[in-house]
């Protein structure tokens, strides 16, 4: 089933067309990487998906609900970290989760405990967030995004600034989530991270999707595909 469907999406700022006729679908359990250079349009697409900005043309459907016409129902199916997660440093990790849970209906204590287990913060969940490492804060932010058991998880450059251990821990959590049927959209400019976590990749350049490929982890490297499709430029390849 299509969790996310994007049809002929365009965004103009003045006379400049910064997103050009984008079409994408993500099915249950898929992890799709939106890969492009800095400034390629990745974050603009994500901001349109979550309703922060409106498209100039085109349609976005989440679980069949049109984001523009029925945004509240559509976004009930979405968890996201679009920028840095909003965390209260003076609260504990558990208190942060409870604070977010109040925004939803029927988030049980059992669901909160399940999330703590998923993000692997059991031993640190009752510590003040101001004492957390960056990786722990990212995992807590992910936990907030997962509280409502979303069908679609959207992550914009989620591993920026993380050390190698933090990246591995975050990656493992995302893979486990997808196995339960959650569709995941990850925006990144880090080739290796897309290679290691995603099942599909959409190459974007200057607001246009150039190609959508299923990742073959055994043969052609993502770096070779990127250079072939988009060319060289400022992209992190490690």
């Amino acid at each position: 089933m299509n969790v996310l469907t994007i049809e002929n999406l365009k965004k103009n700022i003045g006379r400049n067309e910064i997103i050009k006729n984008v079409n994408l679908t993500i099915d249950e359990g898929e992890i799709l990487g939106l890969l492009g250079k800095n400034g390629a349009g990745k974050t603009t697409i994500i901001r349109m998906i979550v309703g922060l900005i409106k498209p100039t043309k085109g349609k976005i459907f989440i679980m069949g609900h049109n984001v523009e016409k029925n945004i509240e129902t559509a976004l009930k199916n979405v968890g996201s970290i679009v920028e840095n997660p909003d965390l209260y440093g003076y609260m504990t990790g558990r208190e942060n989760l409870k604070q977010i849970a109040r925004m939803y209906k029927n988030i049980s204590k059992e669901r909160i405990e399940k999330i703590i287990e998923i993000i692997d913060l059991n031993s640190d969940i009752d510590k003040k967030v101001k004492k957390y490492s960056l990786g722990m804060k990212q995992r807590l932010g992910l936990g907030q995004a997962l509280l409502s058991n979303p069908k679609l998880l959207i992550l914009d450059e989620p591993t920026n600034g993380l050390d190698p251990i933090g990246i591995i821990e975050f990656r493992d959590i995302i893979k486990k989530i997808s196995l339960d049927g959650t569709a995941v959209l990850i925006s990144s400019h880090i080739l290796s991270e897309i290679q290691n976590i995603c099942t599909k990749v959409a190459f974007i350049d200057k607001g246009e999707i150039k190609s959508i490929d299923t990742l073959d982890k055994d043969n052609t490297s993502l770096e070779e595909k990127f250079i072939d499709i988009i060319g060289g430029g400022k992209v992190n390849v490690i």
Side-chain angles (χ1 to χ4, degrees):
M1 177 181 180
N2 289 152
V3 175
L4 173 67
T5 303
I6 298 175
E7 297 178 351
N8 304 314
L9 191 68
K10 297 183 180 182
K11 179 63 180 179
N12 295 348
I13 296 181
R15 296 182 179 180
N16 296 321
E17 188 178 36
I18 61 171
I19 301 297
K20 305 172 184 177
N21 202 43
V22 165
N23 292 275
L24 277 177
T25 62
I26 307 178
D27 295 336
E28 291 180 347
E30 282 190 332
I31 307 175
L32 185 140
L34 191 59
L35 178 64
K37 303 173 187 177
N38 292 330
K42 303 184 298 294
T43 298
T44 300
I45 291 172
I46 285 175
R47 289 172 68 84
M48 286 190 281
I49 293 171
V50 299
L52 293 176
I53 56 176
K54 290 185 176 182
T56 302
K57 291 183 180 179
K59 298 177 181 178
I60 302 169
F61 299 92
I62 300 171
M63 298 299 293
H65 302 289
N66 188 311
V67 170
E68 188 169 5
K69 294 182 178 179
N70 199 357
I71 188 169
E72 185 174 345
T73 301
L75 293 186
K76 282 181 180 179
N77 296 288
V78 178
S80 65
I81 304 178
V82 176
E83 296 173 349
N84 292 327
D86 293 324
L87 303 173
Y88 298 99
Y90 63 91
M91 291 183 177
T92 67
R94 190 186 304 276
E95 289 168 342
N96 269 268
L97 291 176
K98 288 181 177 179
Q99 183 73 11
I100 296 298
R102 294 188 185 102
M103 299 170 58
Y104 300 98
K105 294 180 180 179
N106 303 319
I107 301 292
S108 66
K109 291 181 180 179
E110 290 75 17
R111 179 61 184 170
I112 293 174
E113 292 304 313
K114 177 65 174 177
I115 290 298
I116 293 169
E117 182 180 344
I118 289 171
I119 61 178
D120 194 23
L121 280 177
N122 301 74
S123 61
D124 297 295
I125 197 64
D126 293 310
K127 295 179 181 177
K128 300 288 187 183
V129 169
K130 63 184 178 182
K131 297 182 179 179
Y132 278 17
S133 67
L134 179 58
M136 291 163 64
K137 288 177 180 178
Q138 284 294 90
R139 281 187 277 148
L140 183 61
L142 180 60
Q144 291 180 337
L146 293 171
L147 271 174
S148 63
N149 198 20
K151 297 293 185 182
L152 175 64
L153 179 65
I154 299 175
L155 304 171
D156 190 14
E157 305 283 359
T159 60
N160 272 3
L162 297 186
D163 62 25
I165 295 298
I167 290 172
I168 291 169
E169 291 172 343
F170 200 88
R171 180 195 304 157
D172 288 344
I173 294 169
I174 299 304
K175 288 180 178 179
K176 289 177 183 177
I177 292 165
S178 71
L179 291 175
D180 290 332
T182 302
V184 184
L185 173 63
I186 297 179
S187 160
S188 184
H189 64 279
I190 303 175
L191 292 169
S192 61
E193 198 51 37
I194 295 294
Q195 179 91 44
N196 288 325
I197 195 171
C198 296
T199 55
K200 291 198 309 186
V201 59
F203 298 89
I204 181 170
D205 188 40
K206 298 177 182 177
E208 184 178 1
I209 300 293
K210 298 294 187 180
S211 178
I212 300 175
D213 292 351
T214 299
L215 281 178
D216 185 344
K217 300 185 187 304
D218 296 322
N219 296 316
T220 306
S221 75
L222 194 58
E223 182 178 351
E224 291 172 345
K225 287 184 178 180
F226 187 91
I227 292 171
D228 183 55
I229 294 168
I230 293 180
K234 191 176 181 180
V235 178
N236 192 336
V237 297
I238 60 174

